[in-house]
Amino acid sequence: MEIMRTIELGKTYRDGEKETEVLRGINLEIDEGEFVAIAGPSGSGKSTLLGLLAGLDKPTVGQVFIGETEITTLPENRLAKIRGRMLGFVFQSFNLIPTLTALENVELPLILNGIADAKKARELLDLVGLTNRSRHYPNQLSGGEQQRVAIARALVCDPPIILADEPTGNLDSKNSKTVMDLLISLCEEKQKTIVLVTHDLDFASKAQRTVHIEDGRIS
Amino acid sequence: MQLVAFAIKTLPAEVKSNWQRSLIIILCLAVGIASVAAVKIYTDSAISYFKDNVKEFFGADITIVLPSELTNDQQNFLDYQNLGTLTYISDYNQVAFNPFNRQNNMPVQVTVIDPEVYPLYGSLELVDSSSSKALLSETQAAIVSASLFEQLELKMDSLVIVGNTPYVIRGILQETSVPDGFMGRIYTATPPQAEIGNLGSKHAYLKLTEEKDIDTAKEEIAFYFEEETISTYVEISSHIDTSAKILGNVALIASLASLLLGGLGVANVAQVIARQKIKQSAIMKCVGGKTWQITFLIIIQIAFVGLIGVLFGFALGWALTGVLPTLLKDIISISIPIRPNINVFLQVSLLGLLVTVLFALLPVLRFTKIRPLAVYRDENPERLLSKNSKLVTALIVLLLAAIFGLFIGFIIDSPAVGLGFAFATLILTSIFLGIIKLVLKLILKLPIFFGTSAKMARRSLHRQYGRTSGAILALAFGISAILLISFIQTDVLNFMHSLRDDQDTPNIFALLDSESGPSSESLIEFLEKDDRLENVTSMKMLTASLETVNNRVYDASQASDPRSSILAKAFLIGAVDPKNMPTELNYTKGKLLEQNNEVVMEEYIATSLGLKVGDKIGFLIGENLREFDLVGFYSNMQKGINVTASSYATNEALQGLNPAFSTELLFARTKPGIAGEDVISTLRANFPNLGFAFDVGQLITLFDTIFTAISRFMQFLGFFALVSGLIILAGTMILAKWEKRKETALIRCLGGTTKDVINVQLWENGILGVLAAGIGIWLANMLSMLINVYLLEIEFVTRPLTNLFAFVLVLFAVIVVGAISLSDVLKERPLTVLRNE
Ligand SMILES: Nc1ncnc2c1ncn2[C@@H]1O[C@H](COP(=O)(O)OP(=O)(O)OP(=O)(O)O)[C@@H](O)[C@H]1O
Ligand SMILES: [Mg+2]
């Protein structure tokens, strides 16, 4: 059963006269519960693709489906709802909100999506092993800890899909391993669909399938 | 709701990380709210004080003005009424004399009461708090007002002569009410001897028994007495309410200025806070947040900070109500107990919150409309802002203005005025902000920026001119309000003084009562002998009513002015000798009065009645209808204070008529340097039965006092606007501090000294100061000129020194505020700054 699908997806950035074609003719199908890695050199368009999959940006041509829904034509507020219910994000640069504590950062999606489940956030902090860091602010946490908070945040609304853009990019090898193990266990134990962007082939090899991107095409 | 709880929970950390910005919001609002709260608390306390004590002020539940002769029915009714306690009060207008120096005198109102029952409510408050009842039971005993006691240099337990009746002073009244002006008061149980002076009026005061209802009581009385002669404390209370509310609302609207300026400051801060949160907004969108939720979160947090400012402002305003009585003491001498009630508190707080939210909404919305893609951009996320359409922005602004207007309308009980105020403010502010931006742009283009410091200052101003223009507007507004009020005040007072000192206009007027007073011949003879005077003349005035115009019955309903039906019935025609007019008339239309069949009329009155030069008009004077040609209009307006008739005809034309009422008006002019007051004292000393006499100088002194007190009050409010301006300015500078730091570090790294850094700042703040002062002073002068020329019709004088002084003051204030808000930048080492980047 596929949960994400793209048809002839293409993206061209237009900056005044200058046009850069970043992605073209991407046809990708991702099954429910699958762990897919997207690999490729820097500048190949991995992040752009991930952004299109999540509806953060609009494609120039082509379509993106999440489940049965075609998201490319949806208005921003419907997209926000879909992001809230279906997708969890993990970024390279953690992107935690500095004035919120770890716990509050994890609570935020619950509140924005109107989910009244006060215990959920704490459960997820337990899951990522940060039970006693809940009252710390991001600047009081190590990089690895911050990324685990970010993962907890991505999971808190219980979305079926996790999109991770180089989640280990800013981490040392030990922390990277912790994060990777966490993602793998999510796929194996909780049947989450995971889309991992990385240029580390070592990590990519741990996925069930690796999609290589070069010059904006699947190679 | 969850969102609100979350916003509150995370507020402390937010405020901590943004404490400078929070502080600016708090200060901006506190100053504005303080001025609104002070005015609102004071006026509301005053209204409730008057209303609570209305029976004490009024003295009864119901009063009846009694006719000079009571009918038998009326007398019977009063004698056998069972409504409650009844007492009679008679007022006599008299002159009081110091027994040893008749020259020392003053007009008084003598109130004859029954000390056993008067006052029905409260008590006569005496300075030594003894009981008026005991004091007045003795015959010829009197209680006098403090102003009379002082002015006549009277002594306790000694005599004062009223008319020619001696009274023994047994008590002094505490001055608790509005100052007497130039009229003293005496309370006594012994009536003055009747043949001198005149009986002003006689009243019945009634205090109802518990079970009597005020309306039925009034109905019962109305069966015997004319409706207009009966008044109840309820009516008085509602009169007080209406007029006090109008005054209070005017003051409130004036005080709103600084709150709205504070709103500009809030908008500045909100914009900076939201811009700083762009990335966070994008993150929130990635986890499912919608634009309105994110906007709501930020606005709630700003509103909570605003609330702190509001509370602080309310407390400050409450404290300031202690200052208001000092400012207003010359017109309101009663000390009003200040009682801020929960209602005022709620209204003011809501107003503050509303201003915060309304002013923060658009700037915040601009940045929360970020596209979620911005999570990928660490630099320049602003490129991903979706542009608001101009139309939508305009509509939002109009909607916000309407909400604000309706709320103000709700507070002042008049939605139309509230909305009008909101939209007028919106339009004016936009115009002025536009002008300021334009002027700033133009200044930045001028070829005056030589040297590196100047050029850097220009760049920095260019970067943030949107934000600084708010500060400039606020400053300019504050200084112009203060200047304008002082200009108008001095111009008007100078004009008044010039009238008083103009040797061609009479400054002493006496209205003679033809029946009991001295004859005009004897008075004129007396005055002509007085070498302090010149130009003594008199004029007979007759009452008449306008009956026909061009041979048709005059129809008041066609006239423009609703009061014209009353005006038409109450004409005062002056009988004059056209070759020797008592006052020079200022003709505006038609020709001078010459012939016996002619009449001239005051222009304002004539036009409100719908009359034209050339009309044939018929006056009913006594029993006779006389026809006149209306040949000219004159205006009293430019002449200022001038007791004249509403029309003039010749002596001969008016001879032999018996009007319902006629009086003789006496004019005189004192020689330069002589006080009119003294002459009037002499007159009174020699003619104790002189009717009504006054001196223009005294009137002007009274006017001076009232006008000065009001100006002082308005300037006080203007001062708040100025402070708001300075706070917004400091805020703007602190908001841009980070950029300033970088710039300073750069200057230092390029080998610049502290002097260079200071130079850049001087240039920058200098230009802002010049602009604010320039615009403010220009505005004040322009408005003052327009008001003088078109409204007051008095001369406008430029005041280079005052303007220069204000200019220097504002410039100085701006530079000092700038220096203070950026002082820590100067101390920083360049390396720390650049490394932090
Ligand atoms: N807004 C934009 N305008 C123009 N070009 C852009 C824009 N955003 C991205 N690009 C270009 O698109 C290409 C792909 O960028 P993208 O961020 O997807 O690469 P990436 O594969 O994620 O690289 P990395 O591994 O370094 O993260 C790059 O060449 C980049 O310069
Ligand atoms: Mg990337």
Side-chain angles (χ1 to χ4, degrees), chain B residues 388-401:
Chain B
N388 277 347
S389 87
K390 286 243 162 68
L391 184 71
V392 174
T393 314
L395 284 179
I396 294 180
V397 169
L398 287 180
L399 185 72
L400 298 183

Side-chain angles (χ1 to χ4, degrees), chain A residues 7 12 21 30 36 107 215:
Chain A
I7 301 174
T12 305
E21 191 176 30
I30 297 169
V36 179
E107 273 176 347
D215 284 340

Side-chain angles (χ1 to χ4, degrees), chain A residues 13 15 47 50-51 56-57 76-77 80 83-84 89 91 95-100 104 107-116 137 153 165, chain B residues 2-3 6 9-10 12-14 17 277 279-281 283-294 297 371-373 375-378 383:
Chain A
Y13 286 111
D15 193 6
S47 297
L50 204 71
L56 298 184
D57 204 2
E76 183 54 41
N77 274 345
R83 281 196 289 266
F89 281 92
F91 302 98
N95 278 339
L96 297 178
I97 291 176
T99 51
L100 302 184
E104 286 164 352
E107 273 176 347
L108 185 64
L110 291 175
I111 284 153
L112 292 174
N113 291 297
I115 301 171
Y137 285 94
R153 181 178 67 183
D165 193 345
Chain B
Q2 244 186 324
L3 216 54
F6 188 75
K9 198 170 80 177
T10 57
E14 196 63 52
S17 78
K277 284 184 186 293
K279 188 81 184 287
Q280 294 181 26
S281 303
I283 298 172
M284 288 199 237
K285 285 194 173 172
C286 284
V287 300
K290 299 178 192 71
T291 304
W292 72 263
Q293 288 178 312
I294 301 162
L297 262 180
R371 286 163 60 196
L373 198 61
V375 283
Y376 280 112
R377 299 276 174 281
D378 283 328
R383 286 187 51 198

Side-chain angles (χ1 to χ4, degrees), chain A residues 128-176:
Chain A
V128 298
L130 290 173
T131 316
N132 44 23
R133 292 282 188 281
S134 66
R135 297 168 76 88
H136 286 51
Y137 285 94
N139 62 4
Q140 298 165 326
L141 295 171
S142 77
E145 287 168 338
Q146 286 189 52
Q147 196 59 304
R148 274 141 68 198
V149 174
I151 292 175
R153 181 178 67 183
L155 290 170
V156 74
C157 290
D158 210 13
I161 308 168
I162 305 287
L163 304 173
D165 193 345
E166 300 196 29
T168 56
N170 281 354
L171 302 178
D172 61 14
S173 56
K174 185 167 163 276
N175 276 314
S176 295

Side-chain angles (χ1 to χ4, degrees), chain B residues 503-662:
Chain B
Q503 285 303 119
D504 290 337
T505 355
N507 64 339
I508 289 178
F509 297 88
L511 215 50
L512 301 182
D513 182 338
S514 48
E515 276 166 30
S516 63
S519 74
S520 63
E521 289 80 15
S522 59
L523 257 178
I524 290 178
E525 199 181 326
F526 179 81
L527 286 176
E528 274 171 348
K529 271 187 258 160
D530 194 325
D531 59 4
R532 292 174 296 180
L533 294 176
E534 44 191 48
N535 281 336
V536 183
T537 38
S538 78
M539 175 176 77
K540 196 175 168 82
M541 293 203 288
L542 303 83
T543 48
S545 76
L546 179 64
E547 295 293 325
T548 64
V549 177
N550 296 330
N551 298 320
R552 247 177 270 148
V553 175
Y554 175 68
D555 179 7
S557 65
Q558 281 169 8
S560 59
D561 194 311
R563 289 166 303 172
S564 48
S565 59
I566 305 164
L567 281 178
K569 290 268 170 289
F571 259 91
L572 268 183
I573 310 181
V576 290
D577 174 2
K579 292 190 195 69
N580 182 20
M581 295 287 287
T583 48
E584 204 184 312
L585 296 179
N586 175 21
Y587 281 92
T588 53
K589 267 204 193 92
K591 64 179 202 67
L592 307 180
L593 177 68
E594 282 165 359
Q595 307 293 322
N596 288 345
N597 61 341
E598 291 173 349
V599 68
V600 291
M601 202 177 283
E602 206 281 319
E603 184 176 25
Y604 177 76
I605 294 174
T607 43
S608 6
L609 289 171
L611 299 177
K612 298 177 299 297
V613 169
D615 281 346
K616 207 170 191 60
I617 54 178
F619 277 128
L620 185 69
I621 304 166
E623 318 261 272
N624 306 315
L625 188 73
R626 284 285 160 96
E627 293 248 317
F628 294 95
D629 289 328
L630 182 54
V631 294
F633 289 166
Y634 57 90
S635 167
N636 268 343
M637 297 309 243
Q638 274 103 349
K639 278 280 175 185
I641 300 174
N642 211 337
V643 178
T644 51
S646 40
S647 57
Y648 290 94
T650 64
N651 275 324
E652 278 157 61
L654 298 171
Q655 219 150 45
L657 295 171
N658 285 313
F661 171 80
S662 79

Side-chain angles (χ1 to χ4, degrees), chain A residues 13 20 22 40-49 92 166 199, chain B residues 377:
Chain A
Y13 286 111
T20 340
V22 179
S42 182
S44 56
K46 305 182 297 290
S47 297
T48 308
L49 177 58
Q92 176 176 354
E166 300 196 29
H199 50 228
Chain B
R377 299 276 174 281

